[in-house]
Amino acid sequence: MEVFSDVVCPFCGCLCDDLEITVENNKIIKTKNSCAISLSKFMHHEDNRLNYPTVDGRRTDLVEAINESAKILASAKRPLIYGLSSTECEAINRSIELAELIGGVIDSTASVCHGPTIITEQSIGLIKSTLGEIKNRADLIIFWGSNPTESHLRHLTRYSMFPTGLFTPEGRKNRFIVAVDVRKTKLSRIVDLFLEIEPNKDFELISALRAIVRGVKIEAEQVSGIPINILKELAERMKKARFGVVFYGLGLTQSEMGDMNVNAAVGLVSDLNHHTKFVILPMRGHFNVAGANTVSSWLSGYPFAIDYSRGYSRYNPGEFTAVDLLERKEADAALIIASDPVAHFPASAVEHLTKIPLITIDQKVNMTTLLSRIVIPAATVGIEADGTAYRMDGIPIRLKKIIEPSEGILPDSEILKMMIDKIRVLKGGY
Amino acid sequence: MEVFLKPKVKPLIPVEAEVLTPDRFAGMKLSEIEGLPVYVGNRVEKLSDYFELEGSISEKPADQQITILGDASRIKYIGYGMTAGRILVEGGAGMHLGSHMSGGEIVVKGNASDWAGAEMSGGLISILGNTGDLLGSAYRGSREGMTGGCIIVKGNAGIESGIFMRRGTIVVEGEIGSFAGAHMNGGAIFIFGKASRGVGAEMRGNGSMIVCFKGVDSLLPTFIYNTIYKPNFMRIYLKFLFNTLKIDKAGEYFETPFKRYVGDAAVGGDGEIFIAET
Ligand code: SF4
């Protein structure tokens, strides 16, 4: 029996790094400090596994699966590489190398969750801080369209609501917590102020707050279903906070015109910095979606939605984002890495995905692997393979390998390396 | 002089054909033009793989008309960066039509796709059908969209039309999608159909103006009502639209009073939204 301490949990953007995992005979038998999601993922990581590569549904060996994939990708005119957010940085690095090699389009799952965040970050920046700073200093926390009680279970206890910190010695008591959402949630019951707003009206509310912070008199009596006097109080509270933070989630990015919403929210936070210290952080979902954007930015210059068809990187969300590309029926082959687009994309995009040669690298059986022409099983990053991931606040954390994968199962990065080597040979050593 | 391009196939993968400009064609032989490169996915192919060419080529771009006899809705970058001459598309046009153009004229009889006239600085684009999103807009990451020229859309326009507009004119005779003229910092947008939510969001001012003739779905609370009047300059604008740009609908509003709103107060802007009081 071996006990691994300070294990990093590879399941959500919190990347909790204080887990204790007990392993016996290469099997996980106990976890400590895990949340419910993490517990189930660690304990059931062997369920539903892909055990061997397949080509056209036929069991094969890794070399044949790689060779077949290489043939498809090397000859494709408009190949798409998609996924990346649930693997580690080395594999992301290799995916981008592969995209450049085959002149393809590469996009991460950010394009269907926090794409608007990244677009905003690029155009006007994002005033951020680390979660540690927030735990120690923040006295006003606003959850906007995000609900950690469902999606990031330990966020509240580790960083944002309950923990005691240097300047927040009494924990919860030192913090005023606000939630903004379109419906009541578990979170809304435990906060100090809950604003239930009309759906798709976030932009209006943020704009009104910005105007009030600037001292403008708003004529309307209510905005997005919230009386103006409540907004005035909130604006005052924001200005008077010692250290304020907005944590926003898909409620803001995926409601109508997410890019405008995030742009406005970032603008509000930037305006508030005339009065006090205020920061804004996206609640990133997949454990390494932040890493996908970071690695991609330093390698290609752009965070997602990148096209290498002309030999250099071009960026245009809406044109080179996976869903748009598929809906326009552009791609003629696709490689999916650690993601399940068939389950999550709109039907019109999935329809095209099912018509082109589809190659999937994943650990588990999912809707996409079921429809793929080639399936290559991979080791679970953070359990069977190590690597680096970026936490939602942009802090890189090293994931640990705590058990050995089954024989013949390799990590994503090694599979991708083999694929790249094979394609180079097919392309005459290029 | 006029050169005719007859589409041969409907490409499955869109063709990037920024060579389709009078600037590029002028002074070339027809056979040379046929060999111009187009980009299809990760391959370089020839213009003649997609079009049959016929007609005559002039020495100067300004004297050159390019007529596409059919649908070009899978052809991107038609008229990209053109400075003079004329392009007529009998059918639809693909993405980035006339983006970065600085002069000349493009007429599309069908629909145009997204980013038509994006970051253009001069010239005229007329689209007789509808357009996609981000008409005359800035590309992501850029803070300046259209800086000059004019776009006329007879049908409807998509979302985020004219965002980050800096100068120039956009006229949409149909409806316009949400957040038209967001971040606008100069220029004028005339919307003859209904305007949707978020019109003028985060508009900074610098003389920017959005005129809505058929009302707005829901005006942002951060546009502050000012007055109702018949501005003289509006009549001059409308006469220009009516007489020069041949927008018949403008003729109906010569005597109409307009409500004036100023904003966007969220960003301390002093742009204007005029809503016709009919
Ligand atoms: S909150 Fe997220 S990172 Fe932390 S233990 Fe739960 S799933 Fe893992």
Side-chain angles (χ1 to χ4, degrees):
Chain A
M1 197 172 79
E2 196 176 354
V3 179
F4 292 85
S5 58
D6 298 333
V7 173
V8 181
C9 169
F11 296 112
C12 85
C14 283
L15 282 184
C16 298
D17 52 1
D18 60 346
L19 270 52
E20 220 177 85
I21 311 282
T22 311
V23 174
E24 197 174 57
N25 297 330
N26 205 35
K27 272 204 168 346
I28 295 170
I29 54 166
K30 206 172 113 195
T31 73
K32 207 176 135 193
N33 294 341
S34 286
C35 71
I37 298 174
S38 157
L39 176 78
S40 127
K41 297 264 184 180
F42 270 105
M43 298 309 288
H44 298 289
H45 87 102
E46 277 175 72
D47 299 1
N48 260 331
R49 287 298 289 264
L50 292 161
N51 297 315
Y52 46 82
T54 54
V55 174
D56 292 322
R58 172 178 53 82
R59 179 174 182 159
T60 181
D61 60 20
L62 185 60
V63 173
E64 196 205 334
I66 298 271
N67 288 351
E68 285 301 309
S69 308
K71 267 190 230 160
I72 292 171
L73 294 172
S75 61
K77 248 176 147 177
R78 192 91 173 127
L80 166 71
I81 301 178
Y82 177 80
L84 312 180
S85 309
S86 293
T87 187
E88 45 76 47
C89 292
E90 184 58 27
I92 297 165
N93 185 346
R94 295 231 187 268
S95 308
I96 291 166
E97 185 183 349
L98 178 59
E100 188 175 359
L101 180 64
I102 59 174
V105 172
I106 182 160
D107 190 25
S108 71
T109 63
S111 75
V112 292
C113 60
H114 271 282
T117 299
I118 298 153
I119 291 173
T120 303
E121 192 163 1
Q122 186 208 19
S123 57
I124 57 170
L126 213 59
I127 305 169
K128 292 207 266 193
S129 75
T130 63
L131 290 168
E133 236 180 314
I134 289 166
K135 166 188 157 185
N136 282 308
R137 295 173 189 273
D139 60 344
L140 174 61
I141 314 261
I142 301 172
F143 291 100
W144 199 305
S146 67
N147 177 13
T149 61
E150 301 282 350
S151 57
H152 299 80
L153 303 190
R154 295 183 70 211
H155 195 277
L156 298 176
T157 45
R158 267 171 70 80
Y159 309 114
S160 52
M161 194 182 256
F162 301 111
T164 54
L166 199 58
F167 300 103
T168 48
E170 292 174 277
R172 174 71 180 90
K173 269 203 208 148
N174 294 124
R175 299 186 180 96
F176 189 87
I177 313 232
V178 183
V180 185
D181 215 322
V182 293
R183 68 184 77 81
K184 291 192 179 65
T185 61
K186 252 197 249 167
L187 177 72
S188 68
R189 276 186 246 136
I190 52 171
V191 296
D192 302 303
L193 174 66
F194 174 56
L195 305 183
E196 188 170 345
I197 68 166
E198 292 162 5
N200 293 324
K201 288 277 184 248
D202 302 81
F203 184 86
E204 284 78 354
L205 193 68
I206 301 168
S207 292
L209 273 171
R210 282 183 86 178
I212 296 167
V213 167
R214 282 174 179 271
V216 178
K217 190 173 173 297
I218 299 283
E219 286 154 16
E221 281 169 17
Q222 52 105 354
V223 175
S224 315
I226 309 295
I228 217 75
N229 59 338
I230 293 191
L231 287 187
K232 280 187 186 156
E233 275 169 36
L234 178 59
E236 256 336 282
R237 196 179 278 282
M238 286 169 131
K239 288 202 281 190
K240 291 213 176 99
R242 253 187 311 132
F243 186 120
V245 47
V246 177
F247 285 111
Y248 66 97
L250 300 191
L252 199 62
T253 65
Q254 292 304 306
S255 63
E256 216 180 280
M257 304 301 293
D259 55 332
M260 291 302 302
N261 291 342
V262 179
N263 204 294
V266 173
L268 169 65
V269 166
S270 138
D271 292 348
L272 283 163
N273 276 280
H274 291 294
H275 303 273
T276 181
K277 170 85 182 163
F278 230 97
V279 298
I280 180 161
L281 261 85
M283 297 282 262
R284 307 302 301 264
H286 295 292
F287 76 88
N288 197 22
V289 62
N293 303 140
T294 308
V295 173
S296 167
S297 296
W298 86 53
L299 286 173
S300 72
Y302 302 113
F304 72 121
I306 303 152
D307 177 21
Y308 274 105
S309 66
R310 308 238 333 215
Y312 50 90
S313 56
R314 294 187 299 170
Y315 162 73
N316 201 13
E319 185 175 8
F320 307 134
T321 23
V323 171
D324 300 277
L325 200 80
L326 292 169
E327 283 185 333
R328 288 196 310 269
K329 308 193 190 322
E330 270 189 42
D332 62 351
L335 168 65
I336 310 296
I337 302 158
S339 175
D340 188 8
V342 172
H344 300 116
F345 277 5
S348 48
V350 172
E351 196 200 321
H352 187 65
L353 211 45
T354 59
K355 290 194 182 135
I356 56 176
L358 188 58
I359 306 158
T360 304
I361 304 175
D362 211 309
Q363 310 129 31
K364 298 205 179 203
V365 178
N366 62 30
M367 300 271 283
T368 307
T369 60
L370 291 174
L371 291 172
S372 296
R373 196 160 150 222
I374 301 176
V375 179
I376 302 176
T380 310
V381 176
I383 297 179
E384 298 164 340
D386 56 5
T388 303
Y390 279 71
R391 203 166 66 181
M392 61 164 76
D393 56 349
I395 301 293
I397 296 178
R398 191 76 189 162
L399 307 173
K400 287 185 178 167
K401 173 177 176 174
I402 48 175
I403 57 171
E404 287 298 327
S406 307
E407 209 185 310
I409 307 283
L410 299 179
D412 296 317
S413 59
E414 282 178 42
I415 297 168
L416 287 161
K417 164 118 186 18
M418 289 171 75
M419 227 180 247
I420 290 169
D421 290 345
K422 183 69 199 170
I423 293 173
R424 278 196 204 285
V425 172
L426 291 178
K427 283 187 175 265
Y430 161 70
Chain B
M1 284 190 226
E2 191 169 359
V3 60
F4 299 93
L5 276 71
K6 201 166 148 212
K8 281 185 178 170
V9 279
K10 188 169 180 181
L12 289 172
I13 297 168
V15 178
E16 295 185 2
E18 62 268 34
V19 291
L20 285 176
T21 62
D23 300 78
R24 197 66 200 267
F25 281 23
M28 283 182 125
K29 290 200 204 73
L30 211 52
S31 59
E32 288 171 338
I33 295 175
E34 283 174 340
L36 283 174
V38 295
Y39 299 86
V40 188
N42 50 22
R43 309 291 151 88
V44 187
E45 299 182 7
K46 289 203 298 277
L47 193 58
S48 60
D49 295 337
Y50 293 90
F51 295 100
E52 264 170 41
L53 275 78
E54 202 177 282
S56 46
I57 311 296
S58 70
E59 276 308 308
K60 283 203 259 127
D63 305 328
Q64 183 69 54
Q65 165 152 338
I66 301 172
T67 303
I68 300 179
L69 299 165
D71 185 62
S73 53
R74 299 285 271 187
I75 311 290
K76 292 180 183 177
Y77 292 104
I78 298 170
Y80 170 82
M82 69 189 268
T83 66
R86 191 165 189 269
I87 298 178
L88 172 67
V89 185
E90 298 276 356
M95 284 179 175
H96 312 287
L97 170 88
S99 60
H100 287 282
M101 76 187 269
S102 60
E105 185 187 357
I106 302 179
V107 177
V108 177
K109 291 201 174 161
N111 299 333
S113 187
D114 308 337
W115 291 284
E119 298 189 8
M120 73 188 277
S121 58
L124 173 66
I125 301 180
S126 301
I127 296 154
L128 308 191
N130 303 326
T131 67
D133 301 333
L134 295 137
L135 173 79
S137 70
Y139 283 107
R140 296 291 181 201
S142 161
R143 311 244 343 133
E144 282 204 345
M146 192 171 165
T147 55
C150 178
I151 306 178
I152 300 169
V153 181
K154 295 279 173 197
N156 302 328
I159 58 169
E160 294 186 285
S161 296
I163 59 166
F164 288 106
M165 194 169 172
R166 196 71 181 78
R167 287 272 183 280
T169 308
I170 295 180
V171 182
V172 177
E173 295 199 28
E175 294 182 356
I176 200 163
S178 47
F179 288 90
H183 307 282
M184 213 171 151
N185 196 18
I189 303 181
F190 297 89
I191 307 162
F192 284 92
K194 203 170 172 111
S196 309
R197 169 188 176 224
V199 65
E202 301 198 12
M203 193 176 181
R204 297 207 171 258
N206 194 18
S208 44
M209 169 176 94
I210 302 176
V211 188
C212 308
F213 294 95
K214 284 269 178 336
V216 179
D217 219 8
S218 62
L219 191 65
L220 289 170
T222 43
F223 274 86
I224 311 296
Y225 175 68
N226 195 252
T227 184
I228 178 164
Y229 70 137
K230 291 186 192 173
N232 269 341
F233 70 86
M234 187 66 79
R235 202 201 296 231
I236 298 168
Y237 260 121
L238 289 168
K239 292 240 153 120
F240 169 74
L241 295 186
F242 185 73
N243 295 325
T244 312
L245 298 179
K246 307 285 176 238
I247 313 283
D248 292 342
K249 285 181 180 169
E252 298 165 23
Y253 298 95
F254 290 154
E255 296 305 323
T256 309
F258 288 85
K259 280 185 166 170
R260 178 180 187 265
Y261 294 83
V262 178
D264 182 344
V267 295
D270 61 355
E272 295 169 293
I273 294 183
F274 291 95
I275 301 178
E277 188 70 2
T278 46

